[in-house]
Amino acid sequence: MNQHSVDLGSGKVSRLLFSLALPTITSQIVNMLYNLVDRVYIGHMKPVDTVGALALTGVGVCLPIIMLISAFAALVGMGGAPRASIQEGRGDLEGARQIMGNSFSLLILASAVLTVVFRVFAEPLLLTFGASENTIGYALDYMNIYSLGTLFVQVTLGMNAYITAQGFTTVSMKTVLIGAGLNTLLDPIFIFGLGMGVRGAALATILSQAVSAAWVLRFLTSPQTKWRLRRETLRLQPKVFLPSLALGLSPFIMQSTESLIAVCFNSSLLKYGGDLAVGAMTVLTSMMQFAMMPLQGLSQGAQPIVSYNFGARNAQRVKDAFRCLLKSCVIYSAVLWAVVQLFPQVFVRIFNNNPELVDYAAWALRIYMGTTCLFGIQISCQQTFVALGNAKTSLFLAVLRKIILLIPLIYILPNFFADKAFAVFLAEPVADFLAVTATASMFAVQFSRSMAELERE
């Protein structure tokens, strides 16, 4: 593929999905390298047994804030992009442009507010998220610099969704390839070469995101894009942006509650297992995020197909796209589960070579990802609800897994096990199993009903 859009309304669905998903999966995986590369380098700061492990834990407790910043980009971008695709499917290109322009203005406003909040309240937030007196210094060093790049993160993640939604997946892939490649190059220079430590990792990240943001804006203001970003579409109109925000609440909750969940996990693990358990949790969440990227990439690759054809009233094509997405996600998640269960130490050593941390995290990883084999069902169904513009159901499912199930289980399960830390890690697979069951049941009913209505129309 080159820098041209694809025809979402014709051609074999499976071939189209993978042509869209492959660049999107690459984008998702490479995007995670922004933070993973930081943690890999930081975890190997000398001496590894002391400075590296503590610095890794310190940066790990910054993850909830990083996820919250990304969540606001998802609220605007992943809420508006499917609606813009649906409008294009209905033949309303001007409506798609209005949605994108309003989203850009919202991202700018959100960036200003978040930058001020995280600059002013960084220390109390990090302490709440699990930083100890041994790790707070590293966490503050990282966060005080990273927060200055909030605008670049918002524009890159939020507006890149509109490039993908138009079918320009190769362009959206280049957005993250450029930034992540630069980050990988700058990290060792700033961390080790200039002796900046964790501050160098943060600086490398925001400089790389700035370059990616410039790339996104250059494309969206060029003649190549179908939904060109224009000044007259930037004026905020509630009738345009409010439905997008409603749809974006599901991905927002999925990402923003990672912050709340991190507080629950880290505070409980600090109580039951100390800094070692919190450090292990940093490895586990890093591994889980990286492993889930292909699933998210597949669902985002399917989103333009589902949304466009839903808007065009082509029920059969919507059903074909979902079935292909479901099959791909289930196969991937099953293979991932098997590899993690067989070789957990291999994944843990990517982040740190401390023998004590490796042994502890490998044991915890098997528990934490115990039901990953089922997660392909969860994400394919939930993200299809978003692609169809079903804000209420997608929002409920996001709340169900994270807030209704997982958070209470983190505190309830330790009451029934002698090994309290084991019980905390066990909360994740138990919540996942219950959420998958509920999601599959709801989807089977509502999807069939939606397709029947579409066929009647």
Side-chain angles (χ1 to χ4, degrees):
M1 285 178 60
N2 54 22
Q3 291 189 4
H4 295 285
S5 178
V6 297
D7 183 358
L8 300 171
S10 63
K12 189 175 181 181
V13 168
S14 59
R15 185 179 297 112
L16 178 59
L17 187 149
F18 286 108
S19 71
L20 291 171
L22 184 59
T24 309
I25 291 170
T26 304
S27 301
Q28 291 285 338
I29 293 174
V30 173
N31 188 53
M32 271 305 299
L33 291 178
Y34 277 113
N35 296 314
L36 289 181
V37 168
D38 288 350
R39 292 173 221 169
V40 169
Y41 280 120
I42 290 168
H44 289 84
M45 287 169 58
K46 303 295 184 180
V48 172
D49 291 347
T50 54
V51 174
L54 288 175
L56 178 63
T57 303
V59 172
V61 298
C62 295
L63 183 61
I65 296 179
I66 294 171
M67 291 298 295
L68 190 58
I69 292 172
S70 299
F72 276 94
L75 171 66
V76 178
M78 295 181 68
R83 289 195 66 248
S85 293
I86 292 172
Q87 291 302 108
E88 184 188 1
R90 292 172 178 167
D92 184 10
L93 277 178
E94 185 56 35
R97 296 186 187 106
Q98 287 289 335
I99 292 170
M100 186 176 72
N102 272 228
S103 295
F104 180 73
S105 297
L106 286 175
L107 289 168
I108 300 300
L109 290 174
S111 300
V113 173
L114 291 172
T115 300
V116 172
V117 169
F118 293 133
R119 290 291 295 175
V120 174
F121 301 105
E123 185 168 0
L125 285 172
L126 290 168
L127 289 170
T128 302
F129 291 156
S132 66
E133 61 180 11
N134 297 322
T135 59
I136 186 62
Y138 295 109
L140 280 172
D141 282 347
Y142 190 88
M143 203 64 237
N144 283 336
I145 294 178
Y146 185 91
S147 60
L148 295 176
T150 301
L151 173 63
F152 307 136
V153 177
Q154 293 286 295
V155 171
T156 298
L157 299 182
M159 297 308 293
N160 204 38
Y162 288 91
I163 297 178
T164 301
Q166 295 179 66
F168 293 103
T169 50
T170 301
V171 179
S172 65
M173 177 181 68
K174 289 178 181 178
T175 300
V176 290
L177 284 174
I178 291 168
L182 183 59
N183 185 52
T184 304
L185 177 66
L186 293 179
D187 257 339
I189 296 174
F190 289 167
I191 295 172
F192 303 114
L194 299 179
M196 295 178 68
V198 295
R199 289 175 297 174
L203 181 59
T205 298
I206 66 171
L207 289 176
S208 303
Q209 288 282 16
V211 173
S212 291
W215 165 268
V216 168
L217 293 179
R218 179 179 177 274
F219 181 80
L220 289 177
T221 54
S222 73
Q224 292 174 291
T225 178
K226 292 182 290 184
W227 310 340
R228 192 171 182 179
L229 189 62
R230 301 196 306 260
R231 182 177 300 175
E232 56 267 27
T233 64
L234 301 181
R235 185 172 62 85
L236 290 173
Q237 302 178 58
K239 67 177 182 180
V240 174
F241 70 78
L242 287 179
S244 298
L245 293 181
L247 186 58
L249 280 175
S250 173
F252 174 78
I253 288 176
M254 289 177 66
Q255 293 193 29
S256 64
T257 49
E258 292 293 338
S259 303
L260 179 59
I261 290 168
V263 173
C264 299
F265 268 123
N266 288 345
S267 61
S268 296
L269 290 172
L270 189 63
K271 176 181 177 181
Y272 299 128
D275 284 335
L276 180 63
V278 176
M281 193 67 205
T282 300
V283 174
L284 267 55
T285 53
S286 301
M287 175 59 200
M288 177 67 90
Q289 289 162 16
F290 189 78
M292 291 298 105
M293 288 298 105
L295 291 178
Q296 294 178 21
L298 281 167
S299 65
Q300 288 187 25
Q303 177 266 308
I305 307 173
V306 173
S307 298
Y308 178 91
N309 287 285
F310 182 72
R313 304 291 192 267
N314 190 336
Q316 186 58 50
R317 198 163 176 81
V318 173
K319 289 188 283 188
D320 290 344
F322 168 71
R323 289 168 186 155
C324 186
L325 172 65
L326 177 64
K327 183 186 297 186
S328 303
C329 288
V330 168
I331 292 173
Y332 169 79
S333 58
V335 172
L336 171 66
W337 174 83
V339 173
V340 167
Q341 297 301 316
L342 290 172
F343 311 107
Q345 293 90 349
V346 173
F347 297 102
V348 176
R349 288 196 180 97
I350 296 173
F351 301 95
N352 192 267
N353 289 323
N354 183 337
E356 187 180 13
L357 180 58
V358 169
D359 289 343
Y360 192 98
W363 160 79
L365 185 61
R366 281 196 172 111
I367 301 164
Y368 187 75
M369 298 185 68
T371 56
T372 303
C373 53
L374 302 175
F375 208 71
I377 301 172
Q378 171 78 19
I379 197 164
S380 57
C381 293
Q382 187 168 332
Q383 293 304 313
T384 299
F385 275 130
V386 174
L388 294 174
N390 191 333
K392 292 181 180 179
T393 304
S394 60
L395 175 60
F396 169 74
L397 293 174
V399 171
L400 173 68
R401 178 173 172 263
K402 298 291 186 69
I403 298 177
I404 297 176
L405 294 174
L406 181 54
I407 292 177
L409 285 170
I410 290 172
Y411 296 104
I412 292 171
L413 290 182
N415 296 311
F416 299 94
F417 293 87
D419 189 337
K420 308 295 185 184
F422 164 80
V424 173
F425 290 122
L426 185 64
E428 178 76 21
V430 172
D432 285 345
F433 176 79
L434 295 174
V436 168
T437 303
T439 299
S441 301
M442 292 182 66
F443 189 86
V445 175
Q446 295 197 28
F447 186 71
S448 297
R449 184 185 304 154
S450 296
M451 293 302 99
E453 292 175 357
L454 205 61
E455 288 170 344
R456 285 197 297 271
E457 293 176 4

